[in-house]
Amino acid sequence: MKRKQFIRTTATAATGMAIAPLAACKSDKKVKVESKPQGKRTNWAGNYAYKAKNLYEPKTVEEVQNLVKELTTNKALGSRHCFNNIADNPLNQISTKYLAGLYHLDEEAMTVTVGAGTKYGDFAPELHQKGYALHNLASLPHISVAGACATATHGSGVTNGNLATSVVALEMVNAKGELISLDKEKDKDVFEGAVVNLGALGILTKITLRVEKTFDVRQDLFQGLPLESLKENFDAILSSGYSVSLFTDWQNDIISQVWVKRRTDRPLKPLGETFFGAKAATKNLHPITRLSAENCTEQMGVPGPWYDRLPHFKMGFTPSSGEELQSEFFVPYKNALDAILALEQKKDVIYPHLMISEIRTIAADNLWMSPCYQADCVAIHFTWKQHIKEVAELLPTLEATLEPFDARPHWGKVFTMSPSVLHKRYSKLPEFIELMDLYDPKGKFVNDYLKLNIV
């Protein structure tokens, strides 16, 4: 269902979905939050310049509520790690940077509540010190919890769901400025549509995540995995650790690096000096081999806390390479090897614009707008040189190559896949649009990105 118009009617119980009760606003008193003077503002990589004229930085939930009430259109802005216009708005952005911090650890329920603007790397060490951990982290700890969950950003592991699968409750401000609380158990029908929300339902203010007892992880790296060996041992390689990453530049019929991350609280078998034909690394490596490994988390089998091993990059350093573009495509696990081999046939057009590709697994989930909705997936990631024109011209070719394999793009990265294809691949999209009708009946949070790809 594609809606060309910006007109919606408020959903009611007749839609068949449970409607969560709305919490009362804390105050009707107007809270003045001045917009910051705007120069050129970009995402972290510098490839996208925001068009919003005003940036607001509220420090309390009450200030968010009053801003949303007063502004006719707005969009939440997190840690700016998206590579497209998903977080942009023609007029107003509302930053979540001050809605941050570890608010509450419930040791009985095994949950932690954080502000929506909190970056994983900012609260993970404290969580570890208290004896707890999250099930996984993305390759970068620099991203905000709200933004990561809203776009189905992920870590890796054949049994590990994306970061949004840890969410058990959330709080957000809807288009009327009302404070909404949703719980995984109490509001199941709505909840599974609201977690990966693409910023379309409101401004997230708090998120509650499931935690577990803390654990250590060791990273073992190998170099020069023959492509033929990957073909013959695909399942064994990708399931050889708690989290496994394959890095390749698609050249010379090899996977240049294999990163195997294993929990030390589980039985470990020696991996040896050779790993399916790859040789053990003799020093710390950056995924882009020519770059210094200084900003990477410790490798060489040295155990360390989960928050300092599951990501590839340290919190205190510039992640990845800095100036880059990123694209990523999820394919069902059953199609993954064929998809990889099909892309390998395009290596000569990929290589001139590529820094590195990463291949990882993500377990299935039940979140409506997740690329892994009801399907175990393999994510094929491209870190591009900032060849904006050339990458834009190349992406349709790669997307056509992946067409037979039911590929879905990462919502926060660069893609050109047509809306008609996206709509076919998200069976719960009509229900998600009903949620948009419910929480944002006049389209206050709808921007150009959502107009193009969702409504």
Side-chain angles (χ1 to χ4, degrees), residues 72-343:
T72 57
T73 181
N74 65 81
K75 200 70 181 174
L77 179 68
S79 54
R80 301 184 296 114
H81 275 78
C82 287
F83 291 81
N84 55 36
N85 62 342
I86 190 171
D88 206 359
N89 181 281
L91 293 177
N92 307 304
Q93 288 175 311
I94 298 177
S95 171
T96 61
K97 68 182 291 186
Y98 293 117
L99 304 177
L102 194 159
Y103 292 169
H104 177 62
L105 174 64
D106 188 329
E107 296 184 270
E108 182 176 349
M110 295 291 284
T111 63
V112 63
T113 300
V114 299
T118 310
K119 297 176 182 178
Y120 285 94
D122 285 337
F123 80 95
E126 182 179 354
L127 188 62
H128 168 70
Q129 289 170 6
K130 294 177 182 294
Y132 297 93
L134 301 177
H135 82 289
N136 215 342
L137 290 173
S139 59
L140 308 179
H142 309 68
I143 56 179
S144 70
V145 176
C149 294
T151 56
T153 295
H154 57 94
S156 174
V158 292
T159 61
N160 296 327
N162 64 43
L163 302 185
T165 61
S166 287
V167 180
V168 296
L170 57 85
E171 176 188 275
M172 69 179 180
V173 176
N174 73 359
K176 296 179 181 179
E178 298 165 321
L179 198 60
I180 309 296
S181 294
L182 294 177
D183 181 272
K184 183 175 183 178
E185 299 302 324
K186 298 176 183 177
D187 308 299
K188 183 178 175 64
D189 292 342
V190 171
F191 187 85
E192 291 181 344
V195 179
V196 181
N197 57 65
L198 312 182
L201 306 182
I203 307 292
L204 288 172
T205 52
K206 291 181 184 177
I207 300 182
T208 301
L209 308 172
R210 183 184 66 254
V211 299
E212 58 187 85
K213 292 296 184 181
T214 195
F215 55 89
D216 282 357
V217 174
R218 59 177 288 167
Q219 295 192 82
D220 295 278
L221 272 61
F222 300 86
Q223 292 181 276
L225 176 72
L227 183 61
E228 193 63 32
S229 181
L230 179 67
K231 291 163 60 176
E232 294 172 358
N233 304 283
F234 189 73
D235 294 341
I237 291 170
L238 287 176
S239 62
S240 61
Y242 184 73
S243 171
V244 176
S245 293
L246 311 179
F247 292 97
T248 181
D249 60 6
W250 305 95
Q251 297 295 294
N252 304 315
D253 296 322
I254 63 170
I255 301 297
S256 55
Q257 297 179 27
V258 182
W259 293 32
V260 182
K261 302 171 190 265
R262 297 183 294 163
R263 292 177 58 151
T264 61
D265 61 341
R266 298 177 178 180
L268 296 178
K269 295 180 180 179
L271 295 178
E273 292 300 310
T274 60
F275 178 81
F276 297 97
K279 294 182 179 180
T282 58
K283 62 179 182 179
N284 285 356
L285 298 173
H286 191 287
I288 305 170
T289 307
R290 62 180 172 80
L291 298 182
S292 168
E294 180 186 12
N295 61 352
C296 296
T297 51
E298 186 65 33
Q299 303 157 16
M300 305 306 296
V302 179
W306 58 278
Y307 70 86
D308 199 33
R309 293 296 185 274
L310 292 175
H312 301 333
F313 301 99
K314 299 174 184 175
M315 184 63 183
F317 289 77
T318 300
S320 195
S321 71
E323 292 186 359
E324 61 193 57
L325 303 174
Q326 291 185 11
S327 299
E328 187 169 31
F329 299 95
F330 300 79
V331 295
Y333 189 96
K334 63 182 180 180
N335 300 338
L337 182 57
D338 289 338
I340 291 166
L341 296 178
L343 286 170

Side-chain angles (χ1 to χ4, degrees), residues 249 251 346-355 384-385 387 390-391 394:
D249 60 6
Q251 297 295 294
K346 302 294 181 182
K347 59 186 178 183
D348 290 338
V349 295
I350 292 173
Y351 181 73
H353 311 296
L354 185 73
M355 290 185 177
W384 304 107
K385 300 172 185 175
H387 297 177
E390 292 84 355
V391 170
L394 174 59

Side-chain angles (χ1 to χ4, degrees), residues 385-429:
K385 300 172 185 175
Q386 246 185 42
H387 297 177
I388 295 175
K389 177 177 179 294
E390 292 84 355
V391 170
E393 292 173 349
L394 174 59
L395 282 174
T397 299
L398 299 187
E399 291 170 353
T401 301
L402 291 170
E403 171 68 26
F405 308 111
D406 195 24
R408 304 177 184 192
H410 189 299
W411 292 114
K413 300 183 181 180
V414 180
F415 64 91
T416 62
M417 194 171 289
S418 73
S420 62
V421 173
L422 289 174
H423 283 221
K424 290 177 183 176
R425 296 190 180 165
Y426 283 88
S427 61
K428 300 290 285 187
L429 189 89

